């Protein structure tokens, strides 16, 4: 049974892929789930509130945050692309979110960071949360900013944050790289639950992955969170190998952990 430690939770990015996957799952973590996105996604059901807000709009973000006990922050641009939208949603947006959290006394945030903060490590390296960031693009840089900003808000104001460097969270791994990076929706929910309920979170970085046999990430620095993955990409391995070509070892997308993100852009 999930221990419910928060009365009202805010989920941003509720209209997105992971927002939809978490909407029902998060009901066990709170009494009221406030859902937010910049785009409309339907009516509030029982036990829900819906607040539409653009993360770049500070006043709207204040209204979105006021009255919640903790935040699961998924909203923003989720892929590599031109700088302006990334700046608005992910950089200005995360600043607005933490300013609102400070003003309204929110003490814990789960921030959807990304493996693209460290995408320029090679696929034959194992890294921990203590390895320096090596972002693989503007998107990865914006997530690195969010990680640094949340550390500042912990050091200065005591707002605890878990930065989950999500690998690839989809129903199934789509290619051979995702056999290493895959995070099932159920494990994502387990990880968020652990981040919400662990007694002392501090400012923590944790790689968001299932118990995959092949991995590039060592979560030993995050044992205090108490995340125990229960799924694995291994059950998809044969099918993924059968439908995908052998890797070209000269391709940067095969050499580096960030995959195709390492060669996306430049953008006008
Ligand atoms: P998604 O792109 O499906 O959902 C993102 C949501 O954010 C969308 O509904 C979008 O409307 C909203 N959004 C964009 N700009 C906004 C703004 N200015 N104001 C308010 N809302 C805005 O992405 P997905 O896959 O659901 O990912 C959720 C989060 O997890 C993202 O922050 C993403 O960067 C992160 N993540 C996801 C991974 C995955 O494998 N799905 C991997 C690594 C990180
Ligand atoms: C991400 O950060 C993206 O949000 C997601 O769409 C995937 O591409 C994922 O990384 C990945 O690296 O597979």
């Amino acid at each position: 049974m999930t221990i419910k430690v928060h009365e009202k939770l805010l989920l941003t990015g509720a209209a997105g892929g992971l927002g939809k996957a978490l909407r029902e799952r998060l009901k066990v973590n709170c009494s009221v789930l406030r859902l937010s996105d910049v785009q409309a996604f339907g009516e509030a059901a029982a036990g829900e509130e819906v607040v539409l807000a653009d993360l770049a709009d500070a006043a709207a973000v204040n209204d979105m945050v006021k009255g919640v006990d903790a935040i699961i922050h998924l909203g923003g641009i989720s892929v590599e692309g031109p700088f302006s939208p990334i700046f608005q949603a992910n950089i200005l947006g995360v600043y607005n979110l933490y300013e609102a959290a400070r003003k309204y006394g929110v003490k814990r945030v789960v921030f959807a960071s990304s493996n693209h903060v460290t995408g320029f490590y090679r696929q034959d390296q194992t890294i921990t949360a203590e390895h320096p960031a090596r972002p693989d693009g503007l998107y990865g840089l914006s997530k690195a900013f969010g990680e640094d900003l949340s550390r500042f808000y912990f050091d200065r104001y005591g707002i605890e944050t878990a930065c989950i460097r999500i690998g690839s969270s989809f129903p199934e791994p789509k290619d051979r790289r995702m056999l290493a990076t895959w995070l099932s929706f159920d494990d994502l929910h387990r990880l968020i639950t652990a981040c919400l309920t662990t007694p002392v979170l501090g400012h923590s970085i944790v790689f968001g992955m299932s118990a995959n046999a092949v991995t590039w990430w060592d979560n030993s620095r995050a044992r205090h969170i108490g995340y125990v993955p229960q799924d694995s990409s291994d059950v998809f391995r044969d099918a993924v190998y059968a439908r995908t070509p052998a890797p070209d070892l000269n391709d940067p997308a095969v050499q580096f952990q960030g995959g195709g993100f390492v060669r996306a852009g430049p953008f006008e």
Side-chain angles (χ1 to χ4, degrees), residues 12-21 36-41 52-57 61 64 73-79 85 88-90 93 111-116 139 142-143 164-170 178 181 183 185 188 208 261:
T12 72
L18 297 187
K20 286 183 195 143
S36 184
D37 205 287
V38 70
Q39 50 172 313
F41 55 95
L52 295 184
D54 183 343
L55 289 160
D57 177 344
V61 172
M64 172 183 85
H73 181 45
L74 305 186
I77 302 299
S78 62
V79 288
Q88 292 293 322
N90 295 15
F111 168 52
S113 184
S114 170
N115 72 88
H116 296 288
Y139 164 67
S142 75
K143 293 294 186 179
I164 303 183
R165 287 184 184 161
I166 303 173
S168 306
S169 195
F170 299 101
M178 287 192 191
T181 59
L183 172 66
F185 293 153
L188 172 61
F261 279 55

Side-chain angles (χ1 to χ4, degrees), residues 35-93:
L35 302 155
S36 184
D37 205 287
V38 70
Q39 50 172 313
F41 55 95
E43 303 292 312
E48 293 179 346
E49 296 174 355
V50 169
V51 179
L52 295 184
D54 183 343
L55 289 160
D57 177 344
V61 172
N62 283 343
D63 291 343
M64 172 183 85
V65 166
K66 192 175 180 182
V68 304
D69 305 310
I71 301 172
I72 300 147
H73 181 45
L74 305 186
I77 302 299
S78 62
V79 288
E80 182 62 336
F83 185 63
S84 182
I86 289 177
F87 171 74
Q88 292 293 322
N90 295 15
I91 295 181
L92 184 55

Side-chain angles (χ1 to χ4, degrees), residues 70-158:
I71 301 172
I72 300 147
H73 181 45
L74 305 186
I77 302 299
S78 62
V79 288
E80 182 62 336
F83 185 63
S84 182
I86 289 177
F87 171 74
Q88 292 293 322
N90 295 15
I91 295 181
L92 184 55
V94 78
Y95 168 74
N96 287 338
L97 187 93
Y98 275 85
E99 267 301 283
R102 179 185 67 75
K103 281 181 199 147
Y104 295 113
V106 177
K107 285 296 180 201
R108 195 169 283 200
V109 179
V110 178
F111 168 52
S113 184
S114 170
N115 72 88
H116 296 288
V117 169
T118 48
F120 262 124
Y121 284 95
R122 294 178 57 90
Q123 294 193 9
D124 54 8
Q125 284 179 284
T126 299
I127 58 170
T128 72
E130 285 162 16
H131 279 73
R134 293 183 73 172
D136 59 28
L138 302 173
Y139 164 67
L141 271 166
S142 75
K143 293 294 186 179
F145 175 82
E147 292 190 359
D148 280 353
L149 181 106
S150 61
R151 187 184 298 279
F152 165 68
Y153 274 80
F154 175 63
D155 290 341
R156 176 73 74 86
Y157 304 113

